[in-house]
């Protein structure tokens, strides 16, 4: 039954709702919110599952690539073989690494990231060192990389080639970032090189003063030659890392022997450390 409600300005007809309808209307807003929330969750759930599935595929591809490289070497590895071992379609591998060389860089980054960080933590103690101690610390920092040369000799020289001459692609950029991180750490170690540390350790010599024993890049904070020396440290670190990569590439070309690599690297590091020590004394 409809009731007519009159207004002073106009007349309209309105159906008076049943109480049950009011109750239904009161609950409609929260219900709508809950429905919207449920819909949003339903939308997020597939996205979350897709991310998990993508990460799992990436992990399988990495494991498969490492396995094939370990068994056959990089040169003999094929993308289709990696796809088969990872249980993914052949085209799926190219979604994660656009080229075979990028797959090599993807594997390299996964291995070096942990090893480089461990090396940095193991040789990060502050203070000055004798040239011999600096050489040992730098060689320890390089060990994780050159350890691959022992276990994956053929593949490691391809890694060096890609780092030096490869195409500018995402996984190679990640590896270059690790190389720069290692170079910065080696520059820090070179900055701790001082014959004063060696002299102080000799019998009958006085211990260095706190100012003279300050860590590498800080000991010349007030010197006008500070920028010049920091540049020398960076150049020295780059020389060491680039020389190591070049030596690996020489081995790939048959112009050097892998078994002699670490000996040559120690000679290079010793020469660079001696030069930095001479710069330290000069300033």
């Amino acid at each position: 039954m409809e009731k007519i409600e009159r207004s002073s300005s106009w007349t309209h007809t309105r159906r008076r709702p049943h109480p049950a309808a009011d109750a239904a209307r009161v609950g409609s807003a929260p219900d709508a919110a809950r429905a919207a929330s449920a819909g949003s969750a339903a939308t997020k759930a597939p996205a979350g599952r897709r991310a998990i599935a993508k990460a799992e595929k990436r992990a399988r591809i990495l494991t498969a690539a490492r396995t094939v490289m370990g068994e056959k070497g990089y040169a003999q590895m094929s993308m289709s073989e990696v796809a088969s071992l990872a249980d993914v379609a052949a085209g799926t591998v190219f979604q994660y690494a656009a080229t075979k060389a990028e797959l090599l860089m993807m594997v390299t980054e996964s291995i070096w990231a942990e090893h480089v960080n461990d090396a940095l933590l193991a040789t990060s103690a502050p203070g000055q060192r004798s040239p011999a101690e600096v050489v040992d610390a730098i060689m320890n920092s390089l060990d994780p990389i050159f350890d691959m040369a022992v276990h994956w000799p053929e593949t490691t020289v391809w890694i060096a080639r890609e780092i030096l001459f490869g195409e500018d692609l995402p996984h190679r950029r990640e590896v270059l970032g690790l190389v720069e991180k290692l170079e910065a750490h080696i520059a820090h170690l070179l900055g701790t090189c001082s014959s004063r540390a060696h002299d102080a350790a000799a019998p009958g010599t006085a211990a260095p003063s706190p100012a003279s024993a300050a860590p590498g890049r800080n000991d010349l904070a007030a010197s006008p030659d500070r920028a010049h020396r920091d540049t020398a440290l960076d150049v020295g670190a780059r020389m060491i890392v680039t020389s190591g990569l070049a030596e690996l590439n020489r081995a790939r070309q048959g112009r050097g022997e892998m078994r002699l690599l670490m000996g040559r690297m120690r000679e290079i590091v010793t020469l660079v450390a001696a030069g930095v020590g001479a710069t330290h004394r000069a300033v």
Side-chain angles (χ1 to χ4, degrees):
M1 178 90 180
E2 292 185 352
K3 295 194 177 190
I4 305 298
E5 295 181 356
R6 299 189 180 274
S7 169
S8 58
S9 58
W10 46 270
T11 302
H12 65 281
T13 303
R14 184 178 67 189
R15 184 181 300 275
R16 180 170 292 171
H18 190 277
D22 283 336
R25 212 171 356 254
V26 169
S28 62
D31 289 345
R34 282 193 292 270
S37 177
S40 176
T43 302
K44 291 178 180 178
R49 286 195 292 271
R50 283 194 296 270
I52 293 173
K54 187 174 181 179
E56 289 175 346
K57 284 182 183 178
R58 186 182 191 279
R60 294 206 306 271
I61 290 170
L62 268 175
T63 299
R66 290 181 64 168
T67 299
V68 176
M69 286 183 197
E71 293 176 353
K72 303 175 66 172
Y74 169 74
Q76 300 301 317
M77 179 189 75
S78 70
M79 299 290 268
S80 59
E81 189 175 11
V82 172
S84 176
L85 189 58
D87 193 24
V88 298
T92 301
V93 178
F94 290 96
Q95 296 176 10
Y96 293 82
T99 64
K100 180 179 174 180
E102 262 290 87
L103 183 58
L104 174 64
M105 292 289 94
M106 180 177 169
V107 171
T108 302
E109 190 275 334
S110 72
I111 296 173
W112 282 15
E114 180 179 354
H115 286 184
V116 168
N117 288 332
D118 287 347
L120 304 194
L121 290 173
T123 57
S124 60
Q128 287 192 322
R129 298 173 173 86
S130 69
E133 290 171 332
V134 168
V135 170
D136 288 341
I138 291 174
M139 292 301 295
N140 288 337
S141 296
L142 294 172
D143 268 350
I145 292 176
F146 289 105
D147 184 59
M148 288 182 66
V150 175
H151 296 93
W152 289 5
E154 184 263 352
T155 297
T156 302
V157 296
W158 280 103
I159 291 172
R161 181 187 181 281
E162 280 305 310
I163 291 174
L164 291 171
F165 311 115
E167 189 177 356
D168 183 25
L169 291 171
H171 293 304
R172 178 175 176 269
R173 287 196 291 270
E174 292 291 331
V175 174
L176 290 178
L178 290 172
V179 171
E180 290 175 359
K181 189 175 182 179
L182 185 60
E183 286 178 352
H185 181 68
I186 291 174
H188 163 74
L189 291 175
L190 288 172
T192 68
C193 182
S194 173
S195 60
R196 291 193 299 243
H198 176 73
D199 294 341
T205 58
S209 66
S212 66
R217 291 193 182 226
N218 296 325
D219 58 359
L220 296 175
S223 169
D225 296 316
R226 165 76 183 275
H228 172 72
R229 183 170 182 272
D230 281 356
T231 299
L233 297 178
D234 294 335
V235 171
R238 192 169 299 116
M239 286 177 59
I240 289 171
V241 174
T242 304
S243 296
L245 296 173
E247 288 296 330
L248 287 170
N249 195 51
R250 287 181 73 248
R252 181 186 70 84
Q253 297 171 342
R255 297 187 295 117
E257 296 183 47
M258 188 67 71
R259 64 185 181 84
L260 302 177
L261 176 63
M262 296 308 291
R264 287 196 300 271
M265 281 307 304
R266 181 169 284 276
E267 291 175 358
I268 292 169
V269 173
T270 299
L271 287 172
V272 173
V276 169
T279 301
H280 193 131
R281 289 190 295 273
V283 298

